[in-house]
Amino acid sequence: MANVASVTPEPRARVRAMMEYHPPLGCRDTLRLDFNENTLACSPKVGEVLGRISTGALTRYPERGPVEAMVAAQLGLKPEQVALTNGVDEAIHVLFETFLEEGDELLLPVPTYTMYEVYVSATDARAVPVLAADDLQFPYERLLAAITPRTKIIAIANPNSPSGSVATREQLLEITRRAPHAVVLVDEAYFHFHGETMMDLVGKIPNLIVSRTFSKAYGLAGLRVGLLAGPVELMQWTRRVLSPYSVNSVALACLPAALEDSTYLDWYVGEVLAARADFESVLDEAGVRRWPSQANFILTEIGAQHKEFTRLMSAAGVLVRDRSNDPGCDGRVRITIGTREQMRKAAIALKETMATLRAGKEAL
Ligand SMILES: Cc1ncc(COP(=O)(O)O)c(C=O)c1O
């Protein structure tokens, strides 16, 4: 029994070296243009379902099968080709745990969504970042050149975050052909704002897996639901790793109502696209450089004053996301697009903030 108190269990070496990610949540009871969420609400039909859930229903383990079948049918796929997950974050985690071994490489166009790097850092594989040029367009040629026999997964957010740029269907198809030994994950988290998809090719291309989330256009980030869709030959392995209960029964009860209410979804997406066009003009008039976006956010160039900009916007009641720590993004701030009314408020805050920053510069 000697020295028992002094011995602390050690985590795996990879976990000790793992990248930490602490999203700046907290005090977000204001205009949330920082996480690319739906900034308003989910479908009111979901609210009705929530009101009807009995406490008795919560005593049962969740059964995902019937809802999975419904989602698959809506996507034109077989139920075995679709797995619901606890957000796309779990989908990424499960996919990496399923396929990445020591010596494998994850090809990652960067800048991109942070969680790819977080989850690969918990495996024995390594991330191979492929940096976009200053225009932040999808680094297609560089990505093709980076494919090696060790490439095991290529993760492509399409549209990408924080840039809002897209890869074309032809480019994605060519990548699946040039890396037949790798899983090509096309993460369509922002699909609804772009409208182009690879989902119709699921099951037809042996190494293509597509993910979608209900956190963005559907407005269900708090329920944590996403999905992976791919050929049965790949999905059978991811299902082994996936917890059978990771999508909870409240989420499963609400999902059908969200899926059926296409009127609400279309309205919200239309609202965001109109607001995005309006806000692009606001940025142009304010002389703020921006990158073209096919998603519900715009990346802007604020420059050396990015921290002060983010602080002043927050003080004006508008949360935005400083992406300066992303590769190639120093001085760049991402602004989520909400409804037209919300973006009018954001436009006022932006103009005032820019005026304050410029006045400060002149005074120097
Ligand atoms: C490209 C991309 N994929 C996935 C996610 C996470 O989605 P979820 O909320 O379903 O975990 C995000 C969230 O910001 C994202 O930007």
Side-chain angles (χ1 to χ4, degrees), residues 18-23 88-90 92-93 96 106 108 112-122 155 161 187 224 321 323:
M18 210 177 145
M19 180 180 164
E20 285 192 54
Y21 177 55
H22 304 287
V88 170
D89 282 356
E90 189 195 27
I92 299 165
H93 195 181
F96 288 10
L106 167 77
L108 208 53
T112 191
Y113 182 51
T114 312
M115 295 311 289
Y116 303 128
E117 243 192 290
V118 173
Y119 287 135
V120 71
S121 72
S161 175
D187 181 350
R224 310 301 304 128
R321 195 74 177 274
R323 301 295 338 179

Side-chain angles (χ1 to χ4, degrees), residues 55-66:
T55 49
L58 299 181
T59 62
R60 280 179 242 138
Y61 280 104
E63 188 192 352
R64 53 159 37 114

